[in-house]
């Protein structure tokens, strides 16, 4: 496809450029970091000070105001797709679950992000905000490599620095709206200007909704799989309290309503494939079909408010800010446990456990009998009874998760986080030596709950614990209250040693004090008769606390080889705090897998901090209309945090494990060429080679690649802006992105035992254990490519565009979550094609 599209794209834009070159005007059309737009240098804040991009000793991708508006970039997923070496997984499970991978270091579910998000100089503290709309954007900078010494917490892999619109001296604003396929609507706008002398305001809002790409065939072909509706309102007041003092107040509120858990399952059991080839499925070949009997939902409510004070003392500047953030996430969905007979325990037990257990079992049997033969995804099959086929070969069923029966139960999850943070910083004004010194404090209260309930055909009761005999009795519950206090001090200095040589040093010291308290009541599961929290089977769950600290130094060198070419080198330490899994996780994994299957999985109730050491060298320069960046990097990560998902007769379990040592080596190149004024051709390439050097959690994975890390990313594109009338221009732009092969787990091209390996010898099939082993070579996502296209007319006051996202409707998995001991993966589809029109007006 690449060989077909690239020449077509370039030929089309070349033809238009040649036809209009006599009249074409200069624009900045590149997607990557170029050193200038037209003749004006790009000014960035990559080291918390305004400076020319060409002088920054680091890899950085910048999207200017013109590029943001031309491409209608609003959220992280928009600009990450145009950035080499950076990928994102978002909206697969829930809206607040976004994982950004930069050069082999990935964010982690149920832990912290590896990427700092800084908006108008203020560090956002909740990972749920990573892919939210942040208002009307004016510039986006993506910095790669450890940035903690400069930008603070959770900047181990990099930082996203966003600048939004400020009020000007005159009233101004814009509105933009679009409509596309899948009944997709988007609208955004802002108004800004002065209120009185020295006081200005900005008011912005955005809205988007979509039916999504998939339907639930069991629920009357309704669009309830990936539908979503989101709106946000942002307010900003900036007051000049004097010639040297500015006060900046912001508030933001938003709501999201939509679907959740956009997953299908694929088995990777090659020895079962003789009976049905679908038992050994490649994740790239999966045909997505949805038929759960529970309508999945997702809600997210966001309230953020901040205040920032800046005062210029003449020889130095004071910056102080405070942020309050409260983001509440909740989801409901069908369950995953049907194939392990959790909800048919009354039928399998000689003595019924409880009246609730009997009612749940009866409902499961009745729904299975009524749905016998319903066309679920292969190799699934609904037989006469819900008893797994390995115990009832003639009449039993094969269930994947999220079936149309009641046998897989329900799930309700919450993740509510309230933060308060404050920072005070002193920095130098103009002088021969630039310096800054500051302190930071953050307090987080987070509640996380995962509740499995029995499905009695009456839907989901939206609370974590529902008593036996209720409409949705709880059968498993994890519910923990996490508290975190962060204290940090930081400083940096940069000196121009000669007219060509600049040296810099920065350091930050972080201390994170964490505690966790279990909130699950000490009651029995009415379905199985065991504790409602499996961890309670090993004794009372006691409160835990721990402290994690790290010094994060950073050194940099920038040397001007010529007036137009700079050499730079950087080294830094990255840090992510350790934390707590649901208490009892280690014992659950040990009993259900290590003791049952003879595996040697090491999961701890407390996971370790992550520490990385990164070195980078690069060249950045220009020659006439050509700009380029070339960088090589090496990173060693100790105790890399990694999310694992376990499914079994106990229900489901989410944990964070540590990979002892990972090494990453890579090369990155960006370029932009202005062929003639108004016609730009641009491209970027990133190659990353990663290797797990040690992993006590799963020792047999040594030598495998870093999870969620593509082997390479390639971006190529072209843009033409050509005047065809004295009042407006023609714009044509194409962006083509290729993402290389990607593993999503430490277990990769390997064969491992599963729960089926333990169950088969004692089942009705009487097969040897190895027949149930899984081969995870089928869980790698192959390379895929996406082509986006925009064309239309624009002037200083208005624009009218045709757009196509994923024009060729490439089908690929957005994420693959292997559940290793289950014998398969949970896979989520990537976005499909959207074609639409967009109009905007500026005033």
């Amino acid at each position: 496809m690449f060989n077909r599209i690239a020449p077509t794209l370039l030929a089309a834009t070349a033809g238009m450029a040649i036809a209009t070159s006599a009249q074409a005007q200069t624009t900045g059309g590149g997607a990557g970091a170029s050193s200038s737009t037209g003749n004006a240098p790009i000014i960035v804040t990559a080291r918390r000070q305004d400076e020319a991009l060409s002088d920054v000793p680091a890899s950085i991708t910048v999207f200017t105001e013109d590029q943001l508006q031309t491409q209608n970039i609003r959220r992280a997923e928009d600009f990450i797709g145009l950035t080499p070496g950076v990928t994102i997984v978002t909206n697969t499970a829930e809206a607040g679950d976004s994982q950004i991978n930069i050069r082999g270091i990935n964010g982690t579910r149920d832990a912290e992000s590896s990427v700092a998000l800084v908006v108008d100089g203020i560090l956002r503290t909740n990972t749920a905000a990573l892919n939210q709309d942040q208002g009307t954007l004016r510039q986006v900078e993506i910095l790669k490599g450890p940035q903690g010494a400069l930008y603070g917490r959770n900047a181990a892999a990099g930082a996203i620095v966003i600048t939004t619109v400020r009020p000007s001296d005159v009233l101004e604003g814009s509105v933009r709206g679009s409509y596309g396929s899948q009944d997709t609507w988007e609208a955004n706008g802002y108004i800004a200007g002065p209120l009185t002398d020295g006081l200005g305001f900005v008011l912005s809002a955005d809205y988007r909704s979509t039916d999504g790409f998939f339907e639930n065939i069991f629920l009357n072909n309704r669009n309830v799989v990936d539908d979503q509706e989101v709106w946000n309102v942002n307010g900003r007041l900036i007051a000049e309290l004097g010639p040297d003092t500015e006060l900046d107040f912001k508030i933001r509120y938003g709501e999201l309503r939509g679907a959740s858990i956009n997953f299908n399952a694929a088995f990777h059991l090659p020895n079962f494939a003789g009976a049905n080839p679908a038992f050994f499925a490649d994740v790239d070949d999966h045909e997505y079909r949805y038929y759960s009997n529970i309508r999945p939902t997702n809600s997210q409510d966001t309230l953020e408010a901040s205040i920032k004070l800046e005062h210029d003392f003449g020889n130095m500047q004071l910056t102080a800010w405070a942020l309050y953030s409260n983001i509440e996430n909740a989801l409901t969905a069908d369950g995953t446990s049907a194939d392990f007979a959790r909800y048919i325990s009354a039928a399998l037990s000689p003595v019924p456990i409880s009246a609730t257990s009997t009612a749940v079992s009866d409902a499961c049997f009745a729904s299975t009998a009524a749905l016998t033969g319903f066309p679920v995804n292969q190799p699934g099959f609904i037989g006469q009874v819900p008893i797994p086929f390995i115990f009832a070969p003639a009449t039993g069923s094969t269930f994947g998760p999220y079936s149309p029966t009641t046998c897989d139960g329900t799930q309700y999850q919450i993740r509510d986080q309230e933060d308060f943070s404050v920072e005070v910083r002193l920095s130098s004004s103009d002088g021969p030596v630039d310096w800054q010194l500051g302190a930071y404090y953050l307090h987080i209260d987070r509640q996380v709950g995962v509740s499995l309930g029995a499905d009695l055909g009456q839907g989901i009761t939206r609370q974590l614990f529902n008593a036996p005999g209720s409409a949705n009795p709880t059968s498993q519950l994890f519910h923990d209250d996490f508290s975190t206090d962060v204290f940090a001090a930081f400083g940096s200095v940069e000196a121009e040693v000669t007219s060509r040589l600049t040296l810099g040093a920065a350091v930050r010291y972080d201390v994170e004090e964490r505690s966790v308290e279990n909130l699950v009541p000490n009651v029995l599961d009415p379905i199985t008769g065991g504790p409602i929290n499996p961890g309670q089977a090993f004794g009372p769950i006691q409160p835990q606390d721990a402290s994690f600290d790290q010094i994060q130094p950073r050194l940099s060198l920038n040397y001007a080889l010529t007036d137009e070419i700079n050499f730079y080198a950087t080294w830094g330490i990255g840090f992510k705090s350790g934390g707590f899994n649901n208490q009892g996780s280690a014992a659950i994994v040990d009993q259900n897998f290590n003791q049952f299957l003879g595996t040697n999985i090491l999961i701890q109730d407390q996971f370790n901090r992550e520490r990385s050491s990164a070195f980078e060298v690069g060249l950045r320069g220009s020659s006439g209309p050509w700009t380029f960046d070339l960088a090589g990097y090496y990173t060693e990560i100790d105790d890399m945090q990694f999310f694992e998902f376990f499914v079994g007769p106990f229900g489901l379990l989410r944990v964070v494990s540590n990979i002892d040592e990972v090494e990453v080596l890579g090369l990155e190149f960006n370029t932009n060429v202005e062929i003639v004024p108004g016609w730009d051709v641009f491209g970027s390439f990133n190659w990353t080679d990663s290797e797990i050097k040690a992993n006590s959690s799963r020792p047999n994975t040594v030598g495998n690649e870093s999870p969620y890390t593509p082997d390479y990313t390639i971006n190529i594109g072209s843009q033409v802006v050509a005047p065809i009338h004295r009042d407006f221009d023609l714009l044509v732009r194409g962006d083509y992105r290729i993402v290389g092969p990607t593993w999503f787990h430490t277990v990769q091209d390997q064969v491992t035992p599963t729960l089926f390996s333990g169950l088969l010898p004692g089942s009705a099939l009487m097969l040897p254990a190895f027949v149930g082993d899984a081969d995870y070579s089928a869980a790698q996502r192959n390379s895929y490519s996406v082509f986006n296209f925009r064309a239309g007319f624009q002037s200083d006051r208005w624009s009218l565009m045709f757009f196509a996202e994923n024009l060729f409707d490439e089908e690929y998995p957005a994420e693959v979550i292997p559940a290793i001991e289950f014998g398969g993966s949970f896979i989520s589809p990537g976005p499909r094609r959207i074609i639409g029109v967009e109009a905007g007006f500026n005033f």
Side-chain angles (χ1 to χ4, degrees):
M1 183 178 290
F2 175 86
N3 291 332
R4 296 199 309 269
I5 295 173
T8 303
L9 169 63
L10 297 179
T13 53
M16 296 181 62
I18 292 170
T20 58
S21 61
Q23 304 176 15
Q25 62 184 18
T26 300
T27 66
S34 57
S35 60
S36 65
T37 300
N39 294 319
I42 295 176
I43 303 301
V44 298
T45 58
R47 288 180 288 179
R48 289 204 165 186
Q49 60 185 10
D50 291 343
E51 59 185 326
L53 172 60
S54 58
D55 295 333
V56 177
S59 288
I60 176 172
T61 298
V62 180
F63 296 88
T64 64
E65 180 179 354
D66 286 344
Q67 293 167 325
L68 295 170
Q69 292 183 354
T70 297
Q71 299 167 69
N72 194 26
I73 292 173
R74 302 287 304 175
R75 295 169 295 280
E77 60 185 312
D78 298 331
F79 55 75
I80 284 176
L82 299 167
T83 306
V86 185
T87 56
I88 185 171
V89 171
T90 188
N91 282 329
T92 55
E94 59 174 318
D97 182 15
S98 296
Q99 301 171 78
I100 297 176
N101 184 295
I102 298 182
R103 294 177 170 179
I105 301 180
N106 196 65
T108 306
R109 280 189 177 89
D110 300 337
E112 300 290 347
S113 172
S114 296
V115 181
L117 174 64
V118 180
V119 182
D120 293 322
I122 296 178
L123 176 65
R124 293 295 192 258
T125 50
N126 193 324
T127 58
L130 281 175
N131 196 42
Q132 290 183 343
D133 194 300
Q134 298 294 332
T136 303
L137 306 183
R138 282 297 176 255
Q139 185 158 295
V140 175
E141 305 166 25
I142 304 176
L143 293 83
K144 301 164 189 176
Q147 303 295 328
L150 294 174
Y151 280 106
R153 187 172 183 269
N154 293 344
I160 297 172
V161 181
I162 291 175
T163 304
T164 68
V165 67
R166 292 171 54 94
S168 65
D169 294 333
V170 297
L171 188 67
E172 64 177 10
S174 72
V175 291
R176 186 188 298 248
S178 67
Y179 177 77
S181 46
Q182 316 307 321
D183 204 23
T184 301
W185 294 88
E186 289 201 28
N188 61 78
Y190 83 95
I191 184 171
L195 290 174
T196 62
D197 288 343
L199 180 64
F201 80 98
V202 179
L203 182 65
S204 65
D206 61 90
Y207 172 85
R208 72 179 186 276
S209 67
T210 181
D211 283 349
F213 301 101
F214 300 96
E215 299 176 343
N216 185 307
I217 60 177
F218 181 74
L219 298 178
N220 300 316
N221 293 320
R222 292 168 58 200
N223 291 104
V224 294
V225 175
D226 54 346
D227 60 306
Q228 195 175 89
E229 183 177 32
V230 190
W231 61 268
N232 297 277
V233 176
N234 305 267
R236 187 177 191 182
L237 289 174
I238 296 182
E240 302 292 341
L241 304 182
D244 302 317
T245 307
E246 178 183 278
L247 194 65
D248 186 351
F249 174 75
K250 296 178 68 178
I251 188 167
R252 180 166 74 98
Y253 180 77
E255 291 186 1
L256 177 147
R257 299 294 182 267
S260 65
I261 311 292
N262 181 11
F263 292 118
N264 273 190
F267 287 96
H268 308 309
L269 303 169
N271 296 314
F272 285 16
N276 186 336
F279 270 113
F280 188 46
D282 191 301
V283 295
D284 288 295
D285 299 331
H286 183 79
E287 181 180 353
Y288 295 90
R289 297 173 68 249
Y290 300 84
Y291 40 71
S292 65
N293 64 313
I294 299 292
R295 192 264 201 257
T297 69
N298 186 198
S299 65
Q300 183 185 79
D301 297 332
T302 300
L303 174 63
E304 290 185 330
S306 65
I307 187 168
K308 183 172 70 170
L309 172 70
E310 292 184 310
H311 179 75
D312 191 347
F313 290 101
N315 59 344
M316 64 180 179
Q317 185 171 22
L318 168 69
T319 303
W321 57 259
L323 168 70
Y324 171 78
S325 173
N326 189 351
I327 303 181
E328 299 180 349
N329 288 280
L331 70 84
T332 65
D334 210 358
T336 63
S337 300
D339 222 26
F340 295 107
R342 182 177 184 83
Y343 296 108
I344 61 172
S345 55
L348 300 179
S349 174
V351 179
I353 295 170
S354 66
T356 297
S357 178
T358 300
V360 171
S361 180
D362 289 347
C364 171
F365 271 80
S367 65
T368 303
L371 292 169
T372 298
F374 185 89
V376 297
N377 291 339
Q378 290 291 312
F381 176 75
I382 300 179
Q384 288 291 325
V385 297
I387 298 172
F389 78 97
I390 62 175
F391 295 105
T395 59
S397 299
T398 300
F399 287 118
Y402 322 121
S403 81
T405 74
T406 69
C407 302
D408 42 19
T410 66
Q411 56 179 307
Y412 174 61
Q413 301 185 27
I414 66 164
R415 183 184 178 92
D416 299 338
Q417 181 170 320
E418 187 175 29
D419 308 346
F420 173 75
S421 56
V422 60
E423 182 179 283
V424 179
R425 184 172 79 253
L426 288 172
S427 57
S428 62
S429 298
D430 293 336
V433 177
D434 293 322
W435 58 267
Q436 61 176 324
L437 186 68
Y440 174 80
Y441 171 74
L442 164 67
H443 177 74
I444 301 175
D445 282 319
R446 178 189 298 145
Q447 282 203 23
V448 178
V450 180
S451 175
L452 301 187
D455 185 356
L456 296 176
Q458 301 177 58
I460 296 178
T461 304
R462 294 170 183 258
Q463 56 189 33
L464 288 173
F465 177 71
N466 301 299
S470 62
N472 183 212
T474 303
S475 70
Q476 178 185 288
L477 178 59
F478 294 104
H479 187 196
D480 294 282
D481 184 11
F482 300 91
S483 179
T484 301
D485 286 289
V486 180
F487 306 88
F490 57 87
S492 67
V493 62
E494 182 182 345
E496 188 176 302
V497 179
T498 70
S499 60
R500 291 189 177 273
L501 176 63
T502 302
L503 299 178
V507 67
R508 181 184 179 97
Y509 178 62
D510 276 273
V511 177
E512 298 212 7
E513 296 178 352
R514 295 194 162 202
S515 62
V516 60
E517 180 182 1
N518 185 266
L519 303 179
V520 178
N522 189 16
V523 298
L524 295 180
D525 175 3
I527 311 301
T528 66
I532 198 168
N533 184 320
Q536 293 172 336
F538 310 101
I541 298 177
Q542 302 296 329
Q544 301 288 326
D545 61 79
S547 180
F548 306 90
D549 68 294
Q550 180 65 52
I551 296 176
Q552 301 172 72
R554 177 183 170 86
L555 302 175
S556 64
L557 175 153
N558 192 64
Y559 184 77
L561 298 175
T562 70
D563 291 341
E564 296 179 332
I565 299 177
N566 284 353
F567 167 82
Y568 67 85
T570 64
W571 171 81
I573 296 293
F575 164 66
K576 256 193 341 184
S577 174
F580 299 98
N581 288 311
N582 294 117
Q583 300 303 286
S585 296
I588 295 169
V589 171
D590 184 65
Q591 183 183 70
N592 287 272
F593 301 117
N594 294 338
Q595 296 182 29
F596 182 57
L597 297 175
T599 54
N600 55 351
I601 309 164
L602 178 62
I603 298 296
Q604 305 284 0
D605 288 347
Q606 176 184 311
F607 55 89
N608 299 330
R609 67 174 184 175
E610 177 180 299
R611 180 186 182 276
S612 56
S613 174
F615 179 71
E616 177 180 347
V617 295
L619 291 173
R620 174 181 291 115
S622 62
S623 177
W626 176 46
T627 62
F628 69 91
D629 296 286
L630 175 65
Y633 54 90
Y634 172 80
T635 307
E636 182 178 294
I637 309 107
D638 294 325
D639 287 321
M640 174 184 278
Q641 294 169 7
F642 173 62
F643 170 83
E644 293 221 44
F645 187 57
F646 294 94
V647 181
F650 55 85
L652 60 87
L653 181 66
R654 303 162 56 120
V655 300
V656 177
S657 64
N658 289 105
I659 309 171
D660 299 72
E661 184 179 345
V662 178
E663 287 187 358
V664 176
L665 178 70
L667 185 69
E668 190 168 290
F669 179 69
N670 297 264
T671 187
N672 187 103
V673 181
E674 188 179 51
I675 306 298
V676 295
W679 177 26
D680 286 86
V681 176
F682 39 85
S684 63
F685 170 76
N686 174 277
W687 166 78
T688 298
D689 180 41
S690 61
E691 183 179 356
I692 297 173
K693 293 293 187 178
N695 187 9
S696 57
S697 177
R698 293 183 181 270
N700 63 336
T701 64
V702 171
N704 290 347
E705 298 178 18
S706 178
Y708 285 79
T709 303
D711 292 346
Y712 55 84
T713 63
I714 300 172
N715 289 77
I716 62 169
S718 182
Q719 176 176 299
V720 171
V721 178
I724 59 173
H725 187 273
R726 67 175 182 271
D727 294 327
F728 60 89
D729 302 330
L730 171 68
L731 181 144
V732 179
R733 180 184 179 98
D735 289 280
Y736 188 73
R737 178 168 171 96
I738 305 172
V739 178
T742 308
W743 295 102
F744 291 88
H745 202 281
T746 58
V747 175
Q748 296 169 11
D749 192 4
Q750 291 162 292
V751 176
T752 65
T754 70
L755 289 170
F756 296 102
S757 308
L759 293 171
L760 282 174
S763 72
L765 300 177
M766 295 294 290
L767 294 172
F770 75 86
V771 176
D773 292 352
D775 181 349
Y776 278 92
S777 61
Q780 183 187 39
R781 181 182 67 190
N782 293 329
S783 62
Y784 71 90
S785 56
V786 173
F787 180 65
N788 297 330
F789 182 76
R790 294 174 65 85
F793 305 98
Q794 65 178 21
S795 73
D796 292 338
R797 300 294 302 273
W798 59 267
S799 63
L800 181 63
M801 295 286 166
F802 163 84
F803 67 88
E805 299 174 5
N806 192 3
L807 177 62
F808 299 102
D809 204 23
E810 179 86 350
E811 298 182 11
Y812 61 94
E815 184 179 25
V816 179
I817 304 178
I820 301 302
E821 285 68 39
F822 169 69
S825 297
F826 294 83
I827 53 178
S828 180
R832 301 290 175 82
R833 175 171 54 207
I834 292 183
I835 295 176
V837 293
E838 171 193 297
F841 179 73
N842 304 321
F843 59 89

